[in-house]
């Protein structure tokens, strides 16, 4: 996927007229800033040949509701939560485009735990080709990426939480948590990872605080676990969701052919969670059933026949003898 029109000169309104935007969206009209931790300095202007060192410095230069853009090359390491708080402020990775584990990424550094890695409190933002990698050797509930702003778009992003064996052994671990605002759009994203074994009944994705109408299209949810109680999706509190959560053409892949333990259920929801989960042309591998309790089954709808049958869409292993 080509992210940008390649014929540009003096990109950014502070360097000249902006001539490109994210594929499928309107061209950006605000200021542009570049971040390169290896070659940049926070004393620089943030231009393409004079990049900043940290995302925090770039974010501080952006103006809310101005369609400003931050471009990231390589890895940006965080020693504290990156709070993305300015509406219509966008973050684009410039490393090669990849649905699985993009190489332009945000990661942790140091030994002092903090959570979440990224907290998006703004709305109307576009995140594209950005990875996030989070996990400390600490027995605490750790969240990689949290969105409470709503109305944000994620394309080709990776949310890699519980990326440490100790973190993956806590029931409160999450790769992505969505709250309040809702109406977020995720396309071609990787949510979760299968390189660290999850040894507790934690969850890849959590819906909380009445979040409505989130859409996931062509997303991958990898997992590796030795606890059958681990989950792909949880909405365990009262009024966790509102309206619907739509999963279209998504793959929930528990690596059972690579030492992982079969999950008992993919989804658990409280009887009073509210809303519904709709699974359209989506497949779960390495899991016994989409849901195993009556409360969850009543709130999960699957594109199959009959539509309330929560076993539809489960991959079946065929052995030829």
């Amino acid at each position: 996927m080509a992210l940008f029109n390649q014929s540009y000169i003096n990109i950014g309104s502070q360097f000249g007229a902006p001539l490109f935007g994210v594929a499928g969206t309107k061209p950006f009209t605000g200021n542009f800033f570049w971040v390169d931790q290896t070659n940049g300095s926070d004393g620089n202007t943030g231009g393409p040949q004079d990049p900043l060192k940290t995302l925090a410095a770039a974010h501080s230069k952006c103006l809310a509701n101005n369609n400003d853009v931050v471009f990231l090359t390589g890895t940006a390491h965080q020693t504290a939560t990156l709070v993305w708080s300015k509406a219509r402020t966008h973050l684009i990775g410039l490393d090669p485009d990849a649905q699985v584990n993009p190489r332009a990424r945000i990661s942790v550094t140091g030994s002092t735990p903090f959570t979440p890695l990224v907290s998006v409190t703004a709305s109307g933002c576009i995140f594209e080709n950005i990875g996030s990698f989070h996990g400390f050797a600490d027995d605490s509930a750790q969240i990689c990426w949290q969105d409470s702003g709503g109305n944000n778009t994620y394309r080709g992003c990776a949310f890699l939480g519980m990326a440490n064996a100790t973190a993956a052994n806590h029931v409160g671990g999450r790769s992505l948590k969505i709250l309040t605002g809702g109406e977020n759009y995720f396309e071609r994203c990787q949510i979760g990872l299968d390189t660290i074994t999850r040894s507790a009944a934690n969850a890849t994705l959590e819906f909380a605080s009445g979040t409505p109408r989130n859409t996931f299209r062509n997303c991958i949810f990898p997992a590796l676990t030795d606890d059958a109680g681990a989950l792909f999706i949880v909405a365990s509190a009262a009024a966790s969701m509102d309206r619907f959560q739509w999963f279209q053409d998504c793959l929930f892949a528990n690596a059972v052919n690579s030492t992982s333990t079969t999950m008992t259920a993919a989804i658990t929801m409280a009887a009073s969670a509210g809303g519904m989960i709709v699974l359209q042309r989506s497949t779960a591998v390495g899991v016994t059933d989409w849901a195993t309790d009556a409360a969850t089954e009543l709130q999960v709808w699957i594109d199959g026949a009959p539509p309330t049958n929560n076993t539809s869409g489960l991959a079946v292993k065929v052995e030829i003898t």
Side-chain angles (χ1 to χ4, degrees):
M1 178 179 65
L3 294 182
F4 312 115
N5 179 342
Q6 297 300 314
S7 58
Y8 60 84
I9 300 175
N10 295 329
I11 304 171
S13 57
Q14 73 269 50
F15 305 108
L19 299 179
F20 64 80
V22 176
T25 66
K26 296 179 181 178
F28 295 122
T29 55
N31 301 305
F32 292 3
F33 301 99
W34 277 256
V35 173
D36 182 338
Q37 179 176 294
T38 302
N39 302 301
S41 169
D42 285 347
N44 291 344
T45 62
Q49 306 303 321
D50 195 36
L52 298 164
K53 187 177 185 67
T54 67
L55 288 169
H59 184 266
S60 70
K61 290 179 177 291
C62 292
L63 303 175
N65 293 301
N66 195 53
N67 276 316
D68 288 354
V69 187
V70 176
F71 297 109
L72 174 63
T73 296
T75 300
H77 290 94
Q78 294 290 128
T79 57
T81 297
L82 174 66
V83 179
W84 204 262
S85 60
K86 297 179 179 179
R88 289 198 301 158
T89 300
H90 316 300
L91 177 59
I92 310 297
L94 293 182
D95 285 4
D97 177 39
Q99 179 173 7
V100 176
N101 200 8
R103 295 303 171 183
R105 64 166 55 178
I106 307 168
S107 186
V108 298
T109 189
S111 58
T112 302
F114 63 89
T115 189
L117 172 61
V118 179
S119 175
V120 179
T121 60
S123 62
C125 303
I126 296 170
F127 301 90
E128 184 150 358
N129 198 30
I130 291 292
S132 50
F133 188 83
H134 181 259
F136 288 96
D138 185 74
D139 185 20
S140 60
Q142 298 175 37
I143 299 166
C144 181
W145 193 290
Q146 181 169 292
D147 190 307
S148 60
N151 293 286
N152 295 310
T153 295
Y154 297 87
R155 292 192 179 95
C157 293
F159 309 94
L160 311 180
M162 297 173 281
N164 175 279
T166 306
N169 194 36
H170 195 283
V171 69
R174 306 287 187 264
S175 286
L176 174 63
K177 185 173 182 177
I178 304 175
L179 306 92
T180 55
E183 299 188 352
N184 298 292
Y185 178 76
F186 299 83
E187 182 178 9
R188 295 179 59 255
C189 292
Q190 176 186 346
I191 304 169
L193 50 74
D194 55 11
T195 55
I196 300 294
T197 301
R198 291 160 54 180
S199 301
N202 41 43
T204 306
L205 167 63
E206 179 180 358
F207 296 113
S209 303
T211 180
R213 295 181 292 265
N214 296 285
T215 299
F216 299 80
R217 181 166 292 159
N218 193 20
C219 292
I220 301 171
F221 294 75
L224 180 68
T225 181
D226 60 14
D227 189 320
L231 297 160
F232 284 115
I233 303 172
V234 66
S236 58
S240 300
M241 304 186 306
D242 190 12
R243 280 33 175 207
F244 63 84
Q245 318 297 332
W246 183 19
F247 295 82
Q248 185 181 58
D249 299 307
C250 292
L251 172 63
F252 298 83
N254 179 26
V256 289
N257 287 348
S258 303
T259 74
S260 191
T261 299
T262 299
M263 293 180 179
T264 302
I267 305 169
T268 292
M269 300 162 60
S272 56
M276 67 180 77
I277 288 177
V278 179
L279 297 156
Q280 182 180 23
R281 298 188 305 273
S282 295
T283 300
V285 180
V287 58
T288 302
D289 212 337
W290 283 110
T292 56
D293 63 281
T296 303
E297 289 178 355
L298 291 173
Q299 299 170 92
V300 176
W301 293 75
I302 298 170
D303 184 6
T308 56
N309 178 4
N310 77 83
T311 63
S312 177
L314 289 171
V316 178
K317 182 180 180 181
V318 177
E319 294 185 355
I320 299 175
T321 58

